Amino acid sequence: MAINLLAWYQKNHRQLPWREDLDPYKIWVSEIILQQTRVAQGIEYYLRFLEKFPDIKTLANSPMEAVYTIWQGLGYYRRAFLIHQGAKFTVEHYDGLLPKSLHELKKIPGIGTYTAAAIASIAFNEPVIALDGNLKRIAARVGCIKEVMGTSVFEKQAMNELKRFFPFNCPGDGNQALMDLSALICTPKNPQCRICPLNAICCAHATGTQMDYPLKATKIPKKDRYFWYLVHSKNGLIAFSRRNFNDIWGGLWEFPLIETSSANELDFLMAFKKKYPDMVLRVSKMVTIPKPHILSHQRIFTTLVHVNNPLLNIPDIEYFDKNNFPPSSTLVKKILAQIV
């Protein structure tokens, strides 16, 4: 089966820019961008990213704002923060060159087991399997794995299934072949089993149960969050502050924020007073955005609190020209388009 898989890959592999050479930095960038991003969209960002940051040392020596600017529109901005941190770590500890082993790669901030395995196998020929969600789907179908995806038992069984046919003598091509197989043949919907190079050993194909695998946990309900943005302008400049790095949109800029557990105006006033006990708030108007902003597992309900008094007691506040806003979330950009 390993021979069938590699033969299929040689004939049908996708032409992707990060496959033009075995530069580990380019592989790293591509893997980070393709997390939560479709390949078609990711290619554009990949090319722009490398044009701006052609090597690890350039990335490490660039300001975080420059990275966020290139990243705008991709979402999941923590990826941008971590690859920047990882580049700095690599310069400090490895002289700007990615280490060649899975073990050492995993020491770099932002490089987890999957990304480390992808880099180690493709760039350095280390015989490891890069087990991501796509390979898990293949393994679940091939072995009719009856454990819920994401559990430790499932992970172990999925790895064992892949080991049955993985070409450890060509690990880079093997991992990329499985990536392409998941994108072109063993897709979440309407898999093309008839032409799959693994159909002879696939349990789900033999039993006609392809769509039953992988088994998934009960869907997590979306969490509701309530944002109250303080909107203040002076001399054509608008007040912004930077978001906490440990939350959604970490490190991006937004209006000064008060978050509450409900849409109740009294809750907002109490939360504001608790956060800024010495500050007087003069509200000119409140505007509630009709529809929530939807994320993967969250719904953001937003109210704009237009204030007349300067926000002097809020730390780390900066005023920006309305025509030159700093990197911001999609939600903030939508708001700016309406109020500027």
Side-chain angles (χ1 to χ4, degrees), residues 49-64:
F49 193 94
L50 283 184
E51 182 180 3
K52 182 73 174 179
F53 314 110
D55 52 56
I56 291 176
K57 289 185 177 179
T58 301
L59 175 59
N61 293 327
S62 299
M64 188 70 247

Side-chain angles (χ1 to χ4, degrees), residues 223-227 243 247-248 259 298-301:
K223 176 184 178 182
D224 289 345
R225 301 178 69 177
Y226 300 88
F227 285 10
R243 277 191 69 78
D247 198 358
I248 57 170
E259 183 173 355
Q298 301 183 32
R299 295 189 301 178
I300 312 296
F301 295 86

Side-chain angles (χ1 to χ4, degrees), residues 50-101:
L50 283 184
E51 182 180 3
K52 182 73 174 179
F53 314 110
D55 52 56
I56 291 176
K57 289 185 177 179
T58 301
L59 175 59
N61 293 327
S62 299
M64 188 70 247
E65 294 300 321
V67 182
Y68 277 139
T69 298
I70 291 293
W71 205 269
Q72 283 192 90
L74 264 180
Y76 297 93
Y77 285 87
R78 185 164 175 77
R79 294 179 293 171
F81 172 73
L82 287 175
I83 196 171
H84 188 247
Q85 294 299 303
K88 288 185 172 182
F89 184 92
T90 304
V91 168
E92 181 179 352
H93 295 276
Y94 300 103
D95 195 29
L97 298 174
L98 286 172
K100 296 183 178 182
S101 72

Side-chain angles (χ1 to χ4, degrees), residues 38-270:
R38 293 178 294 104
V39 170
Q41 181 189 19
I43 289 175
E44 176 187 349
Y45 279 89
Y46 167 84
L47 295 174
R48 285 189 1 220
F49 193 94
L50 283 184
E51 182 180 3
K52 182 73 174 179
F53 314 110
D55 52 56
I56 291 176
K57 289 185 177 179
T58 301
L59 175 59
N61 293 327
S62 299
M64 188 70 247
E65 294 300 321
V67 182
Y68 277 139
T69 298
I70 291 293
W71 205 269
Q72 283 192 90
L74 264 180
Y76 297 93
Y77 285 87
R78 185 164 175 77
R79 294 179 293 171
F81 172 73
L82 287 175
I83 196 171
H84 188 247
Q85 294 299 303
K88 288 185 172 182
F89 184 92
T90 304
V91 168
E92 181 179 352
H93 295 276
Y94 300 103
D95 195 29
L97 298 174
L98 286 172
K100 296 183 178 182
S101 72
L102 174 74
H103 175 73
E104 290 296 317
L105 285 164
K106 287 169 64 176
K107 294 180 180 180
I108 298 172
I111 296 185
T113 300
Y114 163 74
T115 303
I119 297 170
S121 63
I122 298 170
F124 303 120
N125 208 39
E126 185 171 350
V128 291
I129 297 174
L131 183 65
D132 72 344
N134 294 309
L135 271 66
K136 291 174 186 178
R137 181 172 65 253
I138 293 173
R141 287 174 173 170
V142 168
C144 287
I145 298 176
K146 292 180 170 55
E147 299 293 335
V148 173
M149 188 167 75
T151 63
S152 58
V153 177
F154 174 91
E155 301 272 321
K156 183 177 180 179
Q157 292 187 15
M159 191 64 81
N160 286 337
E161 286 297 332
L162 293 171
K163 287 178 180 178
R164 289 172 50 202
F165 58 85
F166 187 82
F168 285 102
N169 58 324
C170 300
D173 282 354
N175 279 315
Q176 292 180 106
L178 289 170
M179 294 173 193
D180 283 7
L181 192 72
S182 69
L184 303 175
I185 301 293
C186 195
T187 51
K189 297 180 180 179
N190 303 315
Q192 306 298 306
C193 300
R194 184 179 61 82
I195 58 174
C196 178
L198 302 178
N199 58 19
I201 63 168
C202 182
C203 170
H205 173 59
T207 56
T209 56
Q210 296 93 324
M211 298 310 298
D212 294 342
Y213 299 97
L215 303 182
K216 296 182 179 179
T218 304
K219 193 171 184 180
I220 301 174
K222 291 184 184 295
K223 176 184 178 182
D224 289 345
R225 301 178 69 177
Y226 300 88
F227 285 10
W228 305 75
Y229 278 137
L230 306 181
V231 182
H232 180 259
S233 60
K234 63 177 182 180
N235 302 323
L237 305 178
I238 296 181
F240 271 76
S241 62
R242 191 191 291 274
R243 277 191 69 78
N244 188 305
F245 281 99
N246 296 322
D247 198 358
I248 57 170
W249 309 320
L252 297 185
W253 291 81
E254 64 183 356
F255 309 102
L257 171 67
I258 300 293
E259 183 173 355
T260 63
S261 58
S262 78
N264 190 303
E265 184 177 327
L266 180 59
D267 284 350
F268 158 70
L269 294 173
M270 292 176 64

